């Protein structure tokens, strides 16, 4: 079973703007090679893009049994060859875990979906919403509803529990106890969920 | 609360959006799950702590930061205590 991860970052968040302008901050989260790419690239959003790749890869690492906290500089991100319109692809290596990412840029956000299986990364559904004051529970319910709609199952059969290390939510079936591959991310005014699409 | 823990709590508090999380937090709160601090702000906290305690928190130490007590232990070990 492939694992997936995602991340969303709000470009209009004051704290993010301040942090990502700080050389100290960037020096703490990126290795020298990544910093060189960031400073030499004409892409002013590259630092945000690399960060979302690292966060997404960490969620995959947790699902694969990693029990350590997130140390972003240990996740090495490389741009993959080839280009799609409006999408940048990256490969992330952390210890013996490799994940494959697709990063999308919109006017107010950057978001990433990733998988540890290169064939799966194009089969991830992503839903993006504005938080509009919603509680975590309400945001999770949106994910459950969308998941249920996609798979034509009843939403009442599902619930969310969080892993003990990083609080990463897991969707599970209340009756069978089986868990399903989803990912959830939240930053300022936006949240996103992802799950593997139905395969025919 | 010992001084070092109090100083760390003050730094953490700068990055906590909803101060009410302290009311329900256990004695040794998890930084993400209990205090609702996200990964980017944890880096800001680490930078503040490095400056405050005149230490360097390396990437491997960062992997050990889950709770308030983890931060206390890392700072003490970096100070050679």
């Amino acid at each position: 079973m492939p694992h997936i991860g995602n991340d969303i970052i709000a470009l209009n968040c004051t704290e993010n703007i301040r942090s990502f302008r700080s050389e100290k901050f960037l020096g703490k989260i990126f290795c020298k090679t990544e910093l060189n790419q960031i400073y030499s690239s004409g892409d002013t959003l590259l630092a945000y893009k690399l960060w979302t790749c690292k966060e997404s890869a960490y969620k995959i690492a947790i699902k694969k049994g990693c029990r350590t906290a997130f140390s972003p500089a240990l996740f090495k991100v490389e741009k993959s060859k080839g280009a799609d319109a409006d999408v940048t692809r990256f490969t992330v290596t952390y210890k013996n875990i490799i994940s494959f990412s697709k990063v999308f840029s919109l006017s107010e956000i950057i978001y990433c979906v990733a998988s540890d299986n290169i064939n799966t990364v194009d089969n991830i559904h992503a839903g993006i919403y504005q938080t509009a004051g919603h509680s975590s529970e309400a945001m999770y319910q949106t994910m459950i509803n969308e998941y249920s709609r996609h798979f034509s199952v009843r939403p009442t059969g599902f619930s969310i529990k969080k892993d003990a290390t990083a609080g990463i939510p897991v969707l599970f079936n209340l009756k069978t106890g089986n868990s399903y591959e989803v990912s959830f991310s939240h930053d300022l005014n936006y949240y996103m969920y992802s799950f593997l699409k139905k395969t025919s | 609360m010992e001084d070092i823990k109090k100083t760390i709590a003050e730094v953490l508090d700068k990055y906590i959006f909803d101060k009410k999380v302290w009311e329900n937090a256990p004695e040794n709160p998890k930084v993400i799950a209990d205090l609702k601090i996200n990964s980017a702000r944890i880096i800001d906290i680490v930078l503040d702590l490095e400056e405050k305690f005149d230490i360097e928190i390396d990437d491997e130490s960062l992997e050990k930061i889950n709770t308030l007590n983890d931060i206390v232990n890392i700072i003490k070990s970096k100070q050679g205590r």
Side-chain angles (χ1 to χ4, degrees):
Chain A
M1 175 82 167
H3 294 293
I4 64 168
N6 71 10
D7 189 50
I8 189 165
I9 190 158
L11 299 175
N12 60 350
C13 169
T14 316
E15 288 84 5
N16 290 339
I17 293 167
R18 191 201 56 233
S19 298
F20 279 82
R21 277 183 187 159
S22 155
E23 279 187 28
K24 266 189 170 178
F25 181 90
L26 297 180
K28 204 74 187 163
I29 63 173
F30 295 122
C31 68
K32 280 183 183 165
T33 312
E34 291 162 348
L35 286 172
N36 287 339
Q37 283 174 29
I38 289 164
Y39 291 129
S40 64
S41 156
D43 184 353
T44 54
L45 300 175
L46 186 58
Y48 291 101
K49 291 176 182 175
L50 299 185
W51 170 263
T52 61
C53 288
K54 288 172 186 248
E55 281 258 35
S56 303
Y58 176 62
K59 289 173 184 171
I60 291 170
I62 288 287
K63 291 175 179 179
K64 290 175 82 76
C66 166
R67 290 292 168 264
T68 56
F70 183 43
S71 182
L74 298 178
F75 288 74
K76 309 294 182 197
V77 190
E78 272 184 284
K79 200 170 176 180
S80 304
K81 285 177 186 163
D84 318 50
D86 304 324
V87 181
T88 322
R89 290 174 186 263
F90 298 90
T91 303
V92 186
T93 308
Y94 171 66
K95 296 176 183 172
N96 61 346
I97 300 171
I98 298 174
S99 56
F100 306 91
S101 308
K102 279 170 77 176
V103 178
F104 302 80
S105 301
L106 301 178
S107 59
E108 289 185 0
I109 54 165
I110 284 179
Y111 70 95
C112 172
V113 292
S115 173
D116 58 350
N117 182 326
I118 195 165
N119 298 316
T120 304
V121 72
D122 287 320
N123 196 37
I124 300 172
H125 172 79
I128 293 162
Y129 290 86
Q130 290 198 300
T131 51
H134 291 167
S135 64
S136 300
E137 288 70 27
M139 292 187 254
Y140 292 149
Q141 192 57 50
T142 305
M143 176 165 73
I144 291 172
N145 292 345
E146 287 302 315
Y147 186 90
S148 304
R149 199 179 348 260
H150 187 81
F151 288 98
S152 306
V153 291
R154 292 160 68 95
T156 48
F158 294 97
S159 187
I160 295 284
K161 60 181 173 187
K162 291 184 176 184
D163 91 281
T165 306
I168 290 174
V170 176
L171 178 70
F172 73 102
N173 185 311
L174 286 164
K175 201 171 175 183
T176 63
N178 291 338
S179 60
Y180 299 91
E181 203 48 44
V182 297
S183 191
F184 183 87
S185 178
H186 172 217
D187 192 32
L188 194 68
N189 299 324
Y190 291 91
Y191 67 99
M192 77 176 287
Y193 62 80
S194 304
F195 54 77
L196 289 171
K197 288 180 197 165
K198 193 159 53 179
T199 49
S200 50
Chain B
M1 196 187 280
E2 59 181 316
D3 283 352
I4 186 168
K5 211 166 178 176
K6 202 174 163 188
T7 307
I8 296 165
E10 283 167 6
V11 172
L12 292 174
D13 192 61
K14 262 176 69 184
Y15 297 95
I16 292 174
F17 177 69
D18 179 6
K19 308 295 182 197
K20 284 182 185 168
V21 296
W22 286 114
E23 292 169 17
N24 300 318
E27 199 184 332
N28 180 26
K30 289 181 179 169
V31 180
I32 293 178
D34 296 323
L35 301 180
K36 314 286 181 204
I37 298 173
N38 72 26
S39 306
R41 300 296 80 81
I42 290 174
I43 302 299
D44 290 324
I45 288 164
V46 164
L47 291 169
D48 282 6
L49 292 171
E50 284 184 338
E51 200 174 308
K52 204 150 209 131
F53 291 97
D54 195 23
I55 54 168
E56 192 188 336
I57 299 174
D58 55 86
D59 299 334
E60 285 68 28
S61 298
L62 206 47
E63 282 197 302
K64 296 174 188 155
I65 296 181
N66 282 311
T67 67
L68 176 56
N69 284 350
D70 293 335
I71 303 175
V72 173
N73 292 336
I74 287 164
I75 290 173
K76 281 182 176 174
S77 85
K78 297 292 174 192
Q79 290 177 325
R81 286 205 255 167

